[in-house]
Amino acid sequence: MTAAVLSGMRPTGRLHLGNYFGALKNWVALQEKYTCHYFVADFHALTTAYESPGDVKSNVEEMVLDFLAAGIDPARTTLFVQSLVPTHAEAHLLFSMITPIPWLERTPSYKEMIENLADRDLRTYGFLGYPVLQCVDIMLYHPKYVPVGVDQVAHIEFCRELVRRFNHLYDVDLPQPEPLLTETPKVPGLDGRKMSKSYGNAIELFAPKEEARKRFMSIKTDSTPVAEPKTPETCNVFALLSLFCDDAERKDWDRRYRAGGLSYAESKKALVEKYEAAIGPLRAKRDELAKDRAGIWKILREGSDRALDISSKHLKEIRKAIGLTY
Ligand code: ADP
Ligand code: TRP
């Protein structure tokens, strides 16, 4: 049997290009070589959206449509919903017993999110325990790799530390997962900061063509005159254009930037066209898939049943290590 891979995303809205090039595209490629498990982290969404969980169901559907359109294949991959697999909740409880509170309080995302989401009260037990839940999500499948963007690496490190503590306390040898990054682990948004839903600088992966065009054309550039040479390293249009180029094309754009005589309007137009050529066919597939909501839930229920089988085995080992063998 091939090595396992596991990753998840919170259903908090439509995916953007950062999610795609930082993680999802890699998830799709990894299906060729590994036994993959991908899931919708709806419990994790509740840690921040507990006051208004109203649209959680439709958010799950939209996210799974994005996954399927991008090429996640439920026939090969176990695609599931976290809250439909009850082993996650039980393992979370067991791991919470051994988690020192100071470890949670010093997780970088903890303070950051409390500051960023100042309109919500995140001083809850559930939100503090976010990395414990993420850790058991991983440990229930014994993956070799966890493909994520760079902002999730601290959570995987936390998990490795917690697993070492578990192994030490109960004299077992649970495997420590490794993060797996893409070549673009931190895709910039329209303003040059990391692309993120919460910064309002994102381009939706499956935005309608015209909306995407407007967003791309609005990227801020410097005021170097057309005739002058330009610096690709500091140009956001170049960074986004590169995502859609192979090596030869990227080199060619690099050369044209440095040579001068290229307008930013021209590179933006190329970006719009490259985006549409890559994403247009996937968007059309998504529109087809979106007609069958019941079909999506059938896939998710079957995947969740499979995930329950796999995770139950590993949960048994966890219970056994602790001594809950009755
Ligand atoms: P957001 O920051 O928009 O809320 P999430 O935190 O839900 O995105 O991220 C889901 C996945 O996508 C994670 O694996 C994360 O590391 C990855 N990711 C998010 N934004 C980016 C980005 N700008 N560049 C690369 N990867 C990203
Ligand atoms: N915290 C991750 C994010 O925001 C989502 C997630 C939950 C996850 N459980 C996981 C990612 C387990 C990898 C493995 O994107």
Side-chain angles (χ1 to χ4, degrees), residues 103-142:
W103 289 18
L104 293 169
E105 287 172 335
R106 69 168 191 244
T107 310
S109 58
Y110 183 64
K111 281 190 213 123
E112 233 170 71
M113 283 187 52
I114 285 184
E115 279 162 26
N116 283 346
L117 301 175
D119 57 323
R120 301 180 209 177
D121 187 355
L122 293 184
R123 288 163 307 159
T124 61
Y125 178 55
F127 184 64
L128 182 66
Y130 186 116
V132 185
L133 182 56
Q134 180 156 352
C135 181
V136 305
D137 292 338
I138 298 170
M139 291 319 295
L140 287 171
Y141 300 86
H142 287 201

Side-chain angles (χ1 to χ4, degrees), residues 7-10 12 15-24 27 63 147-152 182 184-189 193-198 202:
S7 196
M9 286 193 210
R10 288 171 302 142
T12 48
L15 296 187
H16 54 66
L17 292 178
N19 301 135
Y20 183 63
F21 286 101
L24 181 57
W27 293 14
M63 172 167 272
V148 285
V150 75
D151 54 281
Q152 289 299 314
T182 64
T184 50
K186 192 174 172 186
V187 175
R193 291 187 294 169
K194 184 198 102 141
M195 187 179 286
S196 172
K197 270 183 296 264
S198 27

Side-chain angles (χ1 to χ4, degrees), residues 244-287:
F244 297 97
C245 288
D246 60 26
D247 280 350
E249 290 171 314
R250 192 176 304 125
K251 275 202 187 110
D252 195 46
W253 279 104
D254 188 282
R255 186 189 53 72
R256 292 187 61 194
Y257 261 75
R258 292 180 203 283
L262 173 78
S263 72
Y264 286 124
E266 194 182 331
S267 58
K268 284 181 184 175
K269 258 167 74 188
L271 170 57
V272 172
E273 274 160 31
K274 282 293 217 181
Y275 162 85
E276 192 50 31
I279 302 302
L282 306 185
R283 191 197 293 114
K285 183 170 148 196
R286 191 187 191 285
D287 291 345

Side-chain angles (χ1 to χ4, degrees), residues 71-93:
I72 299 298
D73 174 6
R76 281 193 287 176
T77 286
T78 301
L79 182 60
F80 66 97
V81 179
Q82 189 182 32
S83 75
L84 286 178
V85 187
T87 40
H88 290 242
E90 184 177 339
H92 173 250
L93 177 84

Side-chain angles (χ1 to χ4, degrees), residues 7-39:
S7 196
M9 286 193 210
R10 288 171 302 142
T12 48
R14 298 287 294 265
L15 296 187
H16 54 66
L17 292 178
N19 301 135
Y20 183 63
F21 286 101
L24 181 57
K25 193 165 175 239
N26 207 18
W27 293 14
V28 173
L30 289 164
Q31 296 179 118
E32 302 297 329
K33 271 180 62 184
Y34 296 98
T35 304
C36 295
H37 311 78
Y38 299 131
F39 72 99

Side-chain angles (χ1 to χ4, degrees), residues 231-244:
T231 320
E233 294 88 329
T234 54
C235 176
N236 222 359
V237 183
F238 181 85
L240 291 169
L241 181 57
S242 295
L243 298 171
F244 297 97

